[in-house]
Amino acid sequence: MSSVTLLPTRAGHSHGARLPFGLLRELERPADLFRHLGPNWYASVMGTGIVANAAATLPVRVTGMRTAATVVWALSGLLLVTLTAARSVHWRRHRAEARAHAAHPVMAHFWGAPAMALLTVGAGTLTLGRDWIGLPAALAVDVVLWSAGTLLGLVTSVSIPYRMMSRHTFAADAAFGGWLMPVVPPMVSASTGALLVPYATAGQTRLTLVLACYAMFGISAFAALVIITQIWTRLVHHTVGPAAMVPTLWIVLGPLGQSVTAANLLGGVAALALPAPYAAAARAFGLLYGLPTWGFAMAWTALAAAVTARTVREHLPFSLTWWSFTFPLGTCVTGTSALAAITGSVVLQATAVILYACLLAAWLTVAPRTAAAAARGTLFLPAPPAARPSP
């Protein structure tokens, strides 16, 4: 069975100059932290950003919560800038490794993460960052990040599946949650694009934005449906697989929760661009599509939680795949909050709060571990040959 290990577990040997406090002690040279820096690192930006964005959608308000969420948004923005700068160094100094990531049958899928990181931080800038930098600046930043993230996401949603179809041969048990990463960005663009609709120029510009968001909704929804079916088939016929793959089961929640969010956000702004009959239909679609999809997402959450709990009891090694516990769950928070807003359901409101508490717990577990492993340099080592997946 194919396996996925995005975090190596072997230790390095520091033969070069050591940094104070034992920083990057697992690396031969401190500069090696750029050598194997993959696109999967952007999952940390996504996971941090969704903690902030989801807080802004909750149906309850707690004193200080918005301020705390804005601080987390700022952290996600700092991570995005820092990581993008590091990745530029990676491409300049280690072009061979960078190209190898793009061609790798597993790592290539995580090229969807940079697009979603841009979109997540952009949405947070408009909803939270405006408190600090003002609406005009927040809107300008969001437009730039949304445009860049959308373009990159559209490229990955076609190019990565094309590469899978034309250059790789996969075993029958190869499907895993990471296959969803390159096709989910258009759905994130659809939901975050809905936030921009009220600010778009009335007329053809606004109409085009709404229609584009619905089209991107379709791109992601149908591709995700095909892939989720393959993942279900693999789980039934080939069991869960190696422990390192277990966190990726949570990625399935990403397109589910994000599509519920997108359907309802777009339904809420459709009247600004579409004529009356279709605007009402768009709003109804948010509920009629959202509730069944939300139900399946909750069932998958229970399934993934059960598998994860069993794996933790046996041993679940830490890796960057643990960030899969954050962003996908965060989309379920935003989707649940959207459904609660349109229905007024107290049950959905309570569920949104509970899911957010789980999201916060997951982030508070993964973020410190990531920081500690990064400080040691462990996260910057190449995966050992035995752990690398075979196509």
Side-chain angles (χ1 to χ4, degrees):
M1 175 174 289
S2 300
S3 65
V4 181
T5 302
L6 299 181
L7 169 68
T9 55
R10 65 181 177 85
H13 302 281
S14 298
H15 299 306
R18 291 180 179 272
L19 293 177
F21 309 110
L23 292 175
L24 302 179
R25 60 180 178 272
E26 298 294 335
L27 301 180
E28 292 185 0
R29 299 174 303 168
D32 284 345
L33 72 89
F34 299 106
R35 182 177 296 276
H36 304 288
L37 198 68
N40 53 327
W41 267 93
Y42 281 92
S44 63
V45 181
M46 296 164 54
T48 301
I50 199 66
V51 171
N53 296 356
T57 70
L58 288 176
V60 298
R61 292 290 178 266
V62 178
T63 302
M65 182 173 68
R66 185 173 178 86
T67 300
T70 307
V71 171
V72 176
W73 157 77
L75 176 60
S76 69
L78 178 61
L79 285 172
L80 176 63
V81 172
T82 302
L83 184 54
T84 301
R87 285 280 295 167
S88 67
V89 174
H90 170 73
W91 272 93
R92 288 198 307 270
R93 296 183 181 177
H94 309 289
R95 194 170 298 273
E97 285 84 355
R99 289 175 176 171
H101 288 158
H104 196 277
V106 170
M107 184 64 76
H109 294 93
F110 290 89
W111 264 104
M116 289 186 280
L118 291 168
L119 294 165
T120 302
V121 174
T125 304
L126 185 58
T127 57
L128 295 166
R130 61 193 293 176
D131 294 349
W132 289 2
I133 65 176
L135 178 58
L139 181 59
V141 170
D142 189 22
V143 168
V144 171
L145 293 181
W146 185 85
S147 300
T150 296
L151 178 60
L152 180 57
L154 289 173
V155 170
T156 64
S157 68
V158 175
S159 62
I160 302 303
Y162 171 77
R163 182 179 291 272
M164 293 175 65
M165 298 171 188
S166 61
R167 300 189 183 184
H168 297 147
T169 300
F170 293 92
D173 62 348
F176 77 111
W179 282 15
L180 290 164
M181 292 293 288
V183 302
V184 174
M187 186 66 77
V188 183
S189 291
S191 61
T192 56
L195 301 176
L196 291 171
V197 171
Y199 302 99
T201 304
Q204 287 299 313
T205 301
R206 186 176 289 174
L207 176 62
T208 300
L209 179 57
V210 170
L211 295 180
C213 286
Y214 272 111
M216 290 187 288
F217 180 101
I219 291 172
S220 187
F222 289 110
L225 178 62
V226 172
I227 295 171
I228 292 173
T229 301
Q230 295 180 70
I231 295 172
W232 185 286
T233 301
R234 181 186 69 80
L235 291 173
V236 171
H237 291 285
H238 302 283
T239 72
V240 175
M245 292 185 69
V246 168
T248 67
L249 289 176
W250 292 81
I251 299 178
V252 172
L253 295 177
L256 297 176
Q258 197 66 258
S259 66
V260 175
T261 304
N264 283 279
L265 290 181
L266 287 171
V269 299
L272 299 176
L274 299 176
Y278 304 107
R283 188 168 181 82
F285 174 74
L287 179 62
L288 298 179
Y289 166 86
L291 278 175
T293 304
W294 180 86
F296 180 71
M298 294 302 100
W300 190 276
T301 300
L303 178 65
V307 173
T308 302
R310 186 189 68 177
T311 307
V312 167
R313 289 194 298 268
E314 296 173 352
H315 177 56
L316 179 60
F318 176 72
S319 73
L320 284 178
T321 58
W322 279 37
W323 282 99
S324 302
F325 297 137
T326 57
F327 185 83
L329 184 58
T331 69
C332 289
V333 176
T334 59
T336 306
S337 295
L339 288 173
I342 195 174
T343 62
S345 168
V346 175
V347 172
L348 287 174
Q349 292 174 1
T351 303
V353 173
I354 293 171
L355 289 174
Y356 185 76
C358 294
L359 168 64
L360 191 58
W363 182 70
L364 291 173
T365 299
V366 179
R369 286 174 177 262
T370 302
R376 293 193 303 271
T378 312
L379 286 175
F380 304 112
L381 292 170
R388 289 176 182 152
S390 57

